């Protein structure tokens, strides 16, 4: 029986100027345990194959082992979500954009450095949006509310 | 106050390390930001590792000393390091301490650490149960949220059982912030401990009345999970279908609302979830499906498809329509939408269209056929995901009317496709050709083309299939042998092709030299050329040993077919009499003996092979090389039925339609030398002799069955399993087990031994007694385990084509 939830392992991949890509795992929620060392190695090689195709020609869904990777590119930043077969790929694609919009609103014109240096805040945002692989909230205001309160409290 | 950045500079200058045990209290530790900067500043992997190791050492020291003020900062750094891939397990106990602390920042980092570092396999994870319990019952909303988040991520079964009541209480709290998280935690708990479904089922009905989208989203996920786990729950929730329909309708008709609208669609995520739940509820259920029909039509027609969000909802709608018992008009609408998706230029949309059409092709074949041209076009996509889907769909769409065109396209694709798709493509084409070939000649041509293009990737039985096909098409012998000869002359590297060509040239060499054939332009071939080609194959380093065997036998056969003298052939044969490959050597020696001592028999022995029926019991003229395969009189050895070991095998025989994939055990290897057909009489059976059956062959180990029906006990069938070994290595630890359907009784007697010595040594036999009182059709499944050439092998297969006399 297939399960209906997303197995989300969100990773943020950066391209440094030198061209090497760092794949960082922000959250390893999935019970597939896409753990760091071995799958990411192969993931990285699959990744470099992908980058060679120009963007117009590419489909955003990659099949990797027994689940799918859905990615979206924002300038030098790739956001990759791993899902199992039962998910609606296009809805996840939309979800990635939703996530980026939330980040954008919080950090005002988010860039990779913002994410890198504020990983704890990004974690908080992610926790607000996704719980154990299920989408919990997609409304920007509601997602950011607790975080803004927290910020205010720590300032004062 | 020393600031981190300044301090690191100083550190580089051999300033005494102020972090030594005595100095520890005076210096603040590195802030997370600064650590990150440092790491990013490292130019090489080694440098980065150094920085991190140093920092980890400091963190470990700090943990040991138990500094409560900065613990959260240390853990935060540790988590960052963990994310980069370095070991961080020593932070686990710190997470516990942080979770137990009253400060929010501590708790925050502690829970995050628990999520990242702890999981069920660590012993420490149970220790946080108590903290979570306290936080859930007494904490503020934010803290409850944290606890729920961690619980739903890494909660083990024991934890879930302990905390179920707490979570249930939270489901009914007024604050939506906590409730939405509690609902999803409940989902996780049900996954871990299915018995908790009873606890979480009752609140669902009430939760569905909520207006808060977050809670609704969670509730729907919860209901989906419950329905999947138990059919009773499914029935129970069918009652809420009207309510769901209402919710979805409201979503659709609400105009723009700032809260939830994404690209003009109001809360597409909720819509998608509702549609999925409707799919689960409406599957195989007329009544619910009917309730949904109107709504689905409404969604399908009114959704704005200019942006991705709308397309996502539309896609989900299409999937739902196709899965439930929808009205015919609605299905047509769905298929049309998919067709439109397919024509869309956006790759993502094409991908989802291809995936859904693949699911659809089983049930609505004709509807999908209409889109065949577009699908074939998608084969040319550079993106592998797309071309793979297109390939699968194209193969599914082949039928007898379009087989020629489709094969053409697929062969074009085969030439240019990436290597990982080649094997699938080649076997797909061959399968399609087998099923729908309009003429034999076309079939032979197709297989030939596939072998030349992708010979290295075809499956092993392609050779056998092709040779049998050619053998059966008498009128095409001349044609085939010519084409194969030309193909071989061009390229001797594709092994399957070479094997087939060698076999054909051997069999039909005389036709090759005759010179005329209407279907191809005339080809003048000299005897010497043919022999030279076969010798080239024999000597080429690219040829596999099996290929060499084929070539040698072909040369031998040509000795009777060609008109010239056989000196050249005799020379080659005698050279190979001292070849290092034992199989080849044996053949060469035998052929040599044939020349020298049995020349009068040579012509008869090397006659053309008769047509071999696929899978039937075989009678082979070329019985000369059957020294190895000798049927022993059944060796009755005292008893010991081995029924207990077979229980697992018996389970395998339940369904009648398994085993689509195991190799045909009875295809002859047409080189002639590997198949040793047991046409020798066994101990004269009282009834009419039942032909023997060769059931298995691998790397020189062969298994064959012989049957006896004693006339005094008509329900009894005695099967003798004989294992022979013509390869160079002994087969040891040989165990053969058998299974039959439930209405039979099977008794396996002890085998004669468990080693089958190499080079045609004494075969091993084993007797099976099968009682078939109902005279039901016999089905037999065999399982072999043995060690051969140092590798342990296990084979399970069903014996096909058991002669009817075995059970009637």
């Amino acid at each position: 029986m297939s399960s209906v939830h997303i197995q989300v392992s969100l990773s943020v991949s950066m391209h440094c100027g030198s061209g090497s890509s760092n794949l960082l795992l922000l959250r390893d929620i999935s019970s597939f345990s896409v753990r760091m060392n071995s799958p990411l190695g192969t993931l990285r090689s699959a990744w470099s194959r992908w980058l060679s195709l120009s963007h117009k020609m590419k489909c955003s869904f990659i099949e990797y082992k027994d689940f799918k990777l859905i990615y979206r590119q924002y300038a030098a930043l790739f956001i990759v979500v791993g899902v199992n077969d039962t998910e609606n790929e296009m809805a996840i694609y939309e979800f990635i954009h939703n996530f980026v919009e939330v980040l954008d609103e919080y950090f005002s014109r988010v860039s990779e450095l913002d994410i890198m240096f504020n990983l704890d805040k990004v974690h908080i945002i992610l926790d607000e949006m996704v719980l154990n692989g299920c989408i919990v909230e997609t409304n920007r205001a509601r997602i950011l509310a607790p975080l803004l309160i927290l910020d205010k409290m720590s300032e004062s | 106050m020393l600031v981190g950045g300044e301090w690191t500079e100083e550190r580089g200058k051999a300033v005494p390390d102020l972090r030594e045990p005595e100095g520890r209290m005076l210096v603040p530790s590195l802030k997370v930001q600064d650590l990150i900067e440092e790491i990013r500043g490292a130019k090489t992997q080694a440098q980065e590792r150094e920085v991190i190791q140093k920092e980890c050492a400091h963190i470990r020291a700090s943990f040991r000393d138990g500094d409560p003020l900065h613990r959260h900062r240390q853990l935060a750094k540790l988590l960052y390091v963990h994310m980069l891939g370095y070991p961080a397990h020593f932070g686990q106990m710190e997470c516990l301490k942080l979770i137990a602390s009253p400060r929010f920042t501590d708790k925050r980092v502690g829970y995050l650490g628990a999520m990242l570092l702890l999981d069920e396999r660590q012993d420490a994870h149970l220790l946080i149960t108590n903290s979570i319990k306290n936080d859930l019952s007494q904490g503020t909303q934010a803290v409850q949220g944290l606890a729920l988040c961690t619980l739903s991520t890494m909660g083990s079964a024991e934890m879930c059982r302990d905390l179920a009541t707490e979570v249930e209480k939270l489901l009914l709290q007024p604050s939506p912030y906590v409730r939405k998280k509690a609902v999803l935690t409940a989902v996780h708990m049900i996954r871990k401990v299915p018995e908790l479904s009873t606890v979480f089922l009752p609140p669902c009905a009430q939760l569905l009345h909520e207006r808060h989208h977050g809670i609704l989203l969670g509730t729907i996920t919860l209901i989906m999970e419950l329905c999947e786990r138990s059919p009773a729950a499914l029935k129970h929730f069918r009652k809420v279908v009207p309510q769901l329909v209402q919710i979805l309708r409201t979503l659709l008709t609400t105009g723009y609302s700032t809260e939830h609208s994404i690209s003009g669609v109001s809360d597409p995520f909720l819509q998608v979830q509702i549609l999925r739940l409707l799919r689960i509820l409406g599957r195989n259920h007329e009544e619910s499906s009917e309730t949904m029909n109107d709504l689905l039509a409404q969604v399908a027609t009114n959704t704005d498809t200019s942006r991705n969000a709308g397309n996502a909802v539309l896609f989900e709608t299409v999937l739902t329509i196709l899965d439930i018992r929808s009205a015919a008009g609605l299905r047509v609408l769905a298929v049309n939408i998919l067709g439109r998706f397919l024509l869309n230029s956006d790759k993502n949309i094409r991908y989802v269209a291809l995936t859904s059409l693949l699911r659809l092709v089983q049930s609505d074949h004709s509807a999908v056929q209409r889109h065949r041209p577009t699908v074939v076009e998608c084969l040319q996509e550079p993106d592998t995901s797309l071309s793979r889907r297109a390939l699968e769909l194209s193969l599914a769409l082949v039928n007898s009317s379009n087989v020629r065109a489709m094969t053409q396209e697929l062969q074009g694709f085969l030439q240019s496709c990436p290597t990982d798709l080649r094997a699938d493509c080649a076997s797909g084409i061959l399968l399609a050709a087998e099923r729908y070939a309009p003429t034999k000649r076309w079939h032979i041509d197709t297989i030939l083309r596939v072998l030349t293009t992708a010979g290295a990737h075809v499956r092993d039985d392609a050779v056998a299939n092709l040779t049998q096909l050619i053998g059966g098409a008498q009128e095409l012998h001349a044609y085939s042998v010519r084409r194969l000869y030309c193909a071989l002359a061009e390229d001797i590297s594709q092994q399957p092709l070479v094997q087939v060509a060698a076999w054909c040239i051997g069999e039909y060499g005389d036709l090759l030299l005759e010179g005329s054939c209407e279907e191809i332009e005339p080809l003048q071939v000299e005897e010497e050329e043919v022999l030279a080609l076969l010798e080239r194959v024999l000597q080429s380093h690219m040829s596999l040993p099996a290929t060499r065997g084929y070539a040698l036998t072909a040369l031998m056969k040509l000795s009777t077919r060609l008109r010239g003298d056989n000196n050249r052939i005799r020379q080659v044969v005698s050279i190979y009499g001292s070849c290092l490959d034992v199989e080849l050597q044996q053949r060469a020696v035998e052929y040599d003996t044939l020349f020298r001592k049995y020349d009068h028999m040579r012509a008869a022995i090397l006659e053309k092979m008769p047509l071999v029926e696929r899978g039937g019991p075989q009678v082979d003229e070329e019985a000369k090389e059957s020294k190895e395969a000798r049927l022993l009189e059944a060796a009755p050895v005292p008893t010991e039925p081995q029924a207990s070991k077979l229980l697992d095998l018996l389970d395998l025989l339940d369904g009648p339609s398994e085993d689509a994939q195991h190799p045909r055990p009875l295809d002859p290897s047409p080189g002639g030398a590997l198949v040793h057909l047991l046409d020798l009489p066994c101990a004269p059976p009282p009834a009419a002799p039942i032909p023997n059956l060769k059931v298995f062959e691998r790397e020189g180990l062969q298994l064959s069955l012989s049957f006896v029906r004693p006339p005094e006990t008509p329900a009894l069938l005695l099967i003798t399993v004989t294992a022979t070994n013509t390869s160079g290595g002994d087969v040891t630890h040989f165990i053969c087990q058998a299974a039959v359907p439930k209405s039979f009784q099977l008794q396996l007697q002890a085998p004669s031994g468990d080693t089958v010595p190499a080079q045609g040594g004494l075969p091993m036999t084993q007797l099976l007694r099968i009682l078939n009182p109902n005279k039901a059709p016999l089905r037999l499944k065999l399982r072999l385990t043995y060690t051969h050439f140092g590798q342990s092998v296990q084979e399970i297969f069903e014996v096909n084509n058991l002669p009817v006399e075995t059970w009637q």
Side-chain angles (χ1 to χ4, degrees), chain B residues 3-17:
Chain B
V3 174
E6 250 178 76
W7 185 62
T8 41
E9 256 181 48
E10 282 188 10
R11 204 157 47 138
K13 290 189 204 152
V15 160
D17 190 356

Side-chain angles (χ1 to χ4, degrees), chain B residues 296-307:
Chain B
L296 292 173
Q298 195 182 354
V299 176
T301 40
N302 287 353
T303 313
D304 169 25
T305 53
S306 55
R307 307 289 296 278

Side-chain angles (χ1 to χ4, degrees), chain A residues 1-7 14 16 22-31 33 35-37 40 44 49-50 53 55-63 68 71-72 84-98 101 112-113 116-125 127-143 146 150 153-154, chain B residues 32-34 36-37 40 48 80 82-85 104 108 112 115-119 121 145-146 148-150 152-153 177 180-182 184-185 187-188 191 212-215 217-218 221 224-225 227-228 258-260 262-263 267-269 272-273 276 279-280 283 307-313 315-316 319 341 347-349 351-352 355 359 381-386 388-389 420:
Chain A
M1 220 6 170
S2 55
S3 46
V4 295
H5 63 293
I6 320 166
Q7 307 273 5
M14 320 278 190
C16 308
N22 302 317
L23 224 53
L24 307 172
L25 215 60
L26 263 190
R27 179 56 48 80
D28 179 19
I29 307 179
S30 73
S31 55
S33 71
R35 285 268 158 216
M36 291 291 297
N37 304 318
L40 271 183
R44 261 177 236 216
R49 241 191 313 137
W50 243 261
L53 292 178
H55 186 58
K56 267 179 65 98
M57 313 279 253
K58 276 188 286 196
C59 163
S60 298
F61 315 134
I62 304 174
E63 280 157 40
K68 286 190 223 165
Y71 75 91
R72 205 155 173 168
N84 67 2
D85 275 337
T86 56
E87 282 297 322
N88 181 341
E89 297 96 341
M90 293 173 45
I92 304 293
Y93 192 71
E94 196 58 46
F95 173 72
I96 297 179
H97 192 65
N98 194 7
E101 275 182 4
E112 359 175 315
L113 291 180
M116 284 295 282
F117 281 101
N118 293 298
L119 274 177
D120 49 340
K121 305 255 171 61
V122 178
H123 268 300
I124 296 181
I125 293 179
D127 279 339
E128 290 291 324
M129 292 182 79
V130 177
L131 209 67
N132 189 29
C134 308
I135 302 182
V136 86
E137 184 67 68
T138 52
N139 177 308
R140 259 180 287 171
R142 286 203 209 126
I143 294 171
L150 203 63
M153 278 182 9
S154 55
Chain B
V32 184
Q33 322 277 58
D34 305 315
I36 299 179
E37 258 188 47
R40 282 172 72 86
E48 182 181 296
Y80 182 81
H82 168 78
M83 195 168 57
L84 290 176
F104 184 75
R108 167 75 219 154
L112 185 60
M115 265 196 275
L116 293 179
L117 299 177
L118 286 177
D119 59 37
R121 290 168 292 177
L146 286 179
L148 285 171
C149 191
T150 304
S152 69
T153 309
Y177 177 78
K180 67 188 183 193
K181 298 198 179 197
L184 287 172
T185 313
V187 174
H188 174 83
R191 272 187 214 141
H212 187 272
H213 282 211
I215 300 182
L217 208 50
T221 316
M224 274 199 276
E225 192 67 33
C227 290
E228 269 181 16
T258 41
E259 273 198 354
H260 296 117
I262 295 187
S263 330
D267 209 343
F269 300 104
V272 164
Q273 287 291 81
R276 273 165 91 177
R279 184 154 83 227
I280 295 179
R283 199 176 278 159
R307 307 289 296 278
N308 187 56
N311 282 326
V313 174
F315 176 51
E316 197 69 38
L319 287 180
F341 273 1
K347 306 294 172 203
N348 297 343
I349 300 186
Y351 178 86
V352 299
T355 322
R359 273 191 247 182
E381 292 281 345
D383 184 299
T384 330
S385 309
L386 275 175
R388 182 190 306 251
R389 293 285 147 163
D420 39 350

Side-chain angles (χ1 to χ4, degrees), chain B residues 471-649:
Chain B
Q474 182 121 20
E475 63 283 7
L476 291 170
H477 283 170
Y479 172 74
S480 333
V481 73
R482 261 163 234 285
R483 291 243 14 222
L484 284 167
Y485 178 77
C486 295
L488 187 62
E490 276 177 29
D491 175 17
I492 60 171
S493 64
Q494 305 267 36
Q495 295 303 301
L497 183 64
V498 175
Q499 288 175 2
V500 176
W503 183 84
C504 262
I505 294 176
E507 279 291 302
Y508 310 121
D510 44 346
L511 293 175
L512 179 62
L513 297 166
E514 250 160 46
S516 70
C517 166
E518 319 86 45
E519 298 177 75
I520 282 194
E521 65 268 15
L523 182 64
Q524 262 310 93
V525 179
E526 298 294 325
E527 286 182 15
E528 295 299 315
E529 285 176 14
V530 179
L531 294 178
L533 186 57
L534 284 175
E535 278 174 36
R536 238 177 74 203
V537 171
L538 261 178
Q539 288 161 3
S540 160
H541 62 279
M542 293 185 279
S543 302
L544 298 174
T547 316
R548 289 215 178 99
Y550 275 93
L552 191 60
T553 312
L555 267 178
M556 194 60 199
K557 289 188 205 166
L558 283 179
S559 71
T560 47
R561 317 263 199 268
L562 300 183
R563 282 176 294 253
D565 67 7
N566 296 329
N567 282 335
R568 190 166 174 177
I569 299 180
R570 289 186 73 154
Q571 230 179 359
V572 173
V573 162
S574 62
I575 289 177
Y576 275 87
S578 40
C579 167
L580 280 178
D581 182 325
V582 184
E583 169 81 38
L584 217 49
Q585 187 189 94
Q586 176 168 11
R587 285 178 204 225
V589 167
E590 285 168 358
Y591 292 150
D592 203 37
T593 322
L594 201 55
F595 269 124
R596 279 188 282 115
K597 289 203 210 148
Y598 298 100
D599 207 30
H600 50 282
M601 283 170 50
R602 189 165 44 93
I605 288 178
L606 296 173
E607 255 182 23
K608 286 220 178 107
M609 282 177 72
L611 174 61
V612 185
E613 272 170 40
R614 240 183 219 193
Q618 286 123 45
V619 177
D620 193 13
E621 311 287 342
E622 236 171 276
K624 167 185 71 76
E625 278 142 289
S626 52
K627 292 191 205 65
E628 304 89 340
R630 209 174 299 119
L631 178 61
L632 278 190
E633 322 300 327
V637 174
T639 73
E640 281 166 43
Q642 304 167 14
S644 53
K645 283 195 251 172
L646 299 176
L647 284 178
D648 51 340
L649 276 185

Side-chain angles (χ1 to χ4, degrees), chain B residues 317-386:
Chain B
T317 319
V318 166
L319 287 180
T320 305
I321 294 178
L322 294 174
D323 237 359
I324 63 174
R325 300 265 180 89
S326 47
L330 206 52
R331 284 187 90 89
V332 169
L333 179 61
V335 177
N336 286 345
I337 295 180
L338 281 182
R340 253 185 17 231
F341 273 1
L342 201 55
L343 295 168
N344 196 315
S345 52
D346 184 349
K347 306 294 172 203
N348 297 343
I349 300 186
R350 276 197 168 183
Y351 178 86
V352 299
L354 285 172
T355 322
S356 344
L357 283 177
L358 192 57
R359 273 191 247 182
L360 193 56
V361 82
Q362 317 293 343
S363 41
D364 277 301
H365 192 92
S366 46
V368 186
Q369 277 287 355
R370 259 183 293 142
H371 301 288
R372 194 171 55 83
T374 330
V375 172
V376 167
E377 219 183 275
C378 289
L379 278 176
Q380 312 301 331
E381 292 281 345
D383 184 299
T384 330
S385 309
L386 275 175

Side-chain angles (χ1 to χ4, degrees), chain B residues 650-654 739-746 771 774:
Chain B
L650 283 175
D651 288 341
L652 298 174
L653 267 187
D654 277 342
V740 289
K742 292 195 173 59
S743 57
F744 295 74
Q745 287 171 37
L746 171 68
L771 257 176
N774 306 327

